[in-house]
Amino acid sequence: MNITLRQLRAFIAVAELGQFNLAARNLHITQSAVSILIRDLESEIGVRLFDRHTRMVSLTLVGQEFLPQARKILKDLELAVGDVRDNASLKRGQVTIAAAIVLAATIVPPIIARFLRMYPEISVSIRDMPEEQISPALKRNEVDIAVGTLSEDDPEITATPLLRDKLMFVCREDHRFAKRKSVRWAELKDETLITLAAANPLRNIVEHNLIRVVPSFRPKYDVRFSTTAISMIAAGMGVAVLPENSSQLASAVGVTTVDLIEPLVMRDVSLLQRRHHSLSPAAEHLKAVFIAAAAERNGFPERGPRK
């Protein structure tokens, strides 16, 4: 079936106005063009839609039944096109962003708030989750973009660096290292270490650096969330190595952070998305706001995606 929108518009105009010449004037085309459109439509459907009279036309019974359906088709199309245009102009839309637990509690909310001030009609849903769940969520199309750490190259994920923060030694305020300016990795050999779960990208970074200076390294506990590790530290159960931004959560529970050196270890926080997967206009603009916010931070120049 090869029915066109021009045929449907011509049919509705003739049905509503009762004359080909009035329909032609309304559609800004010639009367002969209207006649051809109606003739082709009737030929395509295989039935007569109008009874022709000297000056007027009237709908056949089939035409009367078809008219509300034709109106609905055009209305649905207009609504669909309007939705697409509204999304493109950011008058409406929705973005779902995933973020690692600590990032979701620290750097992400202010940037989302900035975005919503710029585009108040957009709905943003934040899903906080462990680092190891972010890439699978992206691949399952459960989220549009994400903020987290990509520990190794993934052919399905593109990472646009946002910022770098250093790994810190995290302990209770009464710990023997709490007042020091820095702690060496090698000094952790006698500590009761709380680490993140094995699948977490941060665990890989910590283990890589610890094993080089403490070959016999074995964590006492491993947990899924940085917030759990901080609470365990506050309870006197051990110490941890966590990203610098964890300090925003640590101070509230009597936990402090100390520079961890020899070596000084940095980790990349990136905006993640599926490779070869186009973002919606709303998600594309939210990504741009994150990149701009990162570029404004001292020492975090704007950078392109990591291929």
Side-chain angles (χ1 to χ4, degrees), residues 4 17 61 80 104 106 178 189 192 211 225 227 229 238 261 273:
T4 69
L17 298 172
L61 181 59
T106 54
K189 61 184 178 63
T192 301
I211 288 175
F225 305 113
T227 48
I261 62 172
Q273 66 184 91

Side-chain angles (χ1 to χ4, degrees), residues 206-220:
V206 171
E207 284 193 343
H208 174 77
N209 286 278
L210 263 178
I211 288 175
R212 290 192 301 177
V213 292
V214 187
S216 60
F217 155 74
R218 292 290 184 276
K220 177 68 174 178

Side-chain angles (χ1 to χ4, degrees), residues 11 22 36 73 85 118 137 151 215 236 271-273 280 282 294 297:
F11 166 70
L22 294 179
I36 292 171
I73 290 169
R85 287 175 174 167
M118 297 167 63
S151 60
L271 191 137
L272 310 175
Q273 66 184 91
S280 69
R297 294 171 65 107

Side-chain angles (χ1 to χ4, degrees), residues 159-179:
T160 302
L162 294 176
L163 59 89
R164 304 191 79 199
D165 64 355
K166 57 188 174 183
L167 298 189
M168 305 284 287
F169 175 74
V170 186
C171 62
R172 269 184 28 155
E173 291 178 342
D174 59 359
H175 189 277
R176 61 195 177 102
F177 292 156
K179 302 300 182 184

